[in-house]
Amino acid sequence: MGEIFDINAVFSAIPRLLEVLPVSLQITAISMVVGLVFALLFAVIRMKKVPVLSQLVTLFISFIRGTPIIVQLYLTYNGIPLLLKFINQQYGTDYNINAVPAMLFVLVTFAFNEAAYNSETIRAALQSVNKGQIEAAESLGMTYLQVLKRVIVPQALVVAIPPLGNALIGLLKGTSLAFVAGVIEMTAQGKIISGSNFRFFEVYLALALIYWVLTIIIEQILRFLEKRFSIPDPVQQTMNRGWFSWGRRGI
């Protein structure tokens, strides 16, 4: 009878899983960056209440937040080929539907999913900025884009970092669904390895450990960023300066 648990299988699986780690990181990074760009755009559209666009964005966000991401992945995986087929029929083009890379389906799905969720976070962060500062900047002749860049975004960033960090961690773990579209990332690699050696528990334990370590690394980076971009409390600064001055006089 073989061993019930083989610790060597755990350590032997880790290098093979790490071979496809760049794929998981690529999905995470690209989806997050693209998602944040669209999230900021959606947040501004809703804040400015742009006619038609505001209603469409609200409907889109409601749909994304109200459906599972795996369903969205299936819709993208089957919807993009249908869209290309429709374009070919209507405009006489010759797009090769079979040539569409599987990674595209994954990136589109995750990017727009992040955009929908993070737009609410960014909108709340933007609205947390003191309106008096915005009015003061506008009174100096700044355009809205200048106010957004120089006044609103820097302050909103401090508020948005923690929830956006949680979203990033969730996105990293969510990349495990990419195998649905045929992308071989770490979870798909784990299925392949465990299917060959039948050490399912050991392989998935190795996979869990890798995700755990990656999450810890991201958490440490986020803590650094929070400290880096945090706005000092002026009252505390005044008290500290007063205490320092008093201490020097007492020496």
Side-chain angles (χ1 to χ4, degrees):
M1 179 181 293
E3 295 182 10
I4 296 178
F5 176 77
D6 185 4
I7 188 65
N8 292 325
V10 177
F11 292 109
S12 63
I14 290 177
R16 296 181 63 186
L17 292 170
L18 291 177
E19 290 177 1
V20 292
L21 173 60
V23 178
S24 298
L25 296 180
Q26 180 184 12
I27 297 172
T28 302
I30 296 177
S31 299
M32 193 66 182
V33 172
V34 176
L36 285 177
V37 172
F38 279 99
L40 178 59
L41 178 63
F42 292 165
V44 172
I45 289 175
R46 296 191 67 187
M47 287 177 61
K48 303 298 287 187
K49 297 181 180 179
V50 180
V52 182
L53 286 179
S54 179
Q55 288 76 13
L56 290 176
V57 168
T58 301
L59 180 64
F60 173 77
I61 293 174
S62 176
F63 175 79
I64 294 296
R65 297 181 68 181
T67 55
I69 189 170
I70 191 170
V71 175
Q72 298 165 22
L73 193 53
Y74 280 127
L75 288 173
T76 305
Y77 186 74
N78 292 279
I80 290 180
L82 285 178
L83 177 62
L84 292 177
K85 185 177 181 180
F86 173 78
I87 294 174
N88 287 339
Q89 291 178 348
Q90 291 295 317
Y91 300 101
T93 55
D94 189 26
Y95 292 117
N96 187 354
I97 299 174
N98 296 323
V100 179
M103 180 65 79
L104 177 65
F105 305 127
V106 174
L107 293 177
V108 169
T109 302
F110 281 99
F112 280 104
N113 185 273
E114 289 299 307
Y117 277 93
N118 291 337
S119 67
E120 294 299 290
T121 298
I122 293 177
R123 186 165 68 97
L126 294 177
Q127 291 177 335
S128 69
V129 178
N130 190 295
K131 293 183 179 180
Q133 297 183 28
I134 299 175
E135 293 173 355
E138 291 176 342
S139 67
L140 294 175
M142 291 187 186
T143 64
Y144 182 75
L145 288 178
Q146 290 175 324
V147 174
L148 192 68
K149 178 182 178 181
R150 300 177 183 179
V151 179
I152 300 177
V153 171
Q155 297 186 56
L157 185 62
V158 179
V159 179
I161 283 179
L164 290 180
N166 290 332
L168 178 62
I169 292 174
L171 174 59
L172 173 64
K173 294 183 290 186
T175 58
S176 60
L177 296 174
F179 74 90
V180 171
V183 175
I184 305 299
E185 41 66 62
M186 287 196 298
T187 301
Q189 181 80 334
K191 293 173 70 69
I192 294 171
I193 297 172
S194 59
S196 62
N197 62 11
F198 299 103
R199 287 290 180 178
F200 294 94
F201 180 80
E202 289 87 342
V203 172
Y204 287 123
L205 177 59
L207 183 63
L209 291 174
I210 293 174
Y211 277 116
W212 186 25
V213 171
L214 291 174
T215 300
I216 292 174
I217 294 173
I218 293 175
E219 288 175 345
Q220 295 303 315
I221 295 174
L222 291 173
R223 288 195 182 97
F224 170 78
L225 291 177
E226 285 184 49
K227 293 179 181 179
R228 175 67 178 80
F229 292 104
S230 63
I231 300 175
D233 186 354
V235 176
Q236 187 65 40
Q237 281 188 321
T238 303
M239 292 177 63
N240 291 339
R241 285 196 295 268
W243 173 261
F244 181 69
S245 300
W246 179 86
R248 291 186 61 182
R249 288 195 298 270
I251 294 176

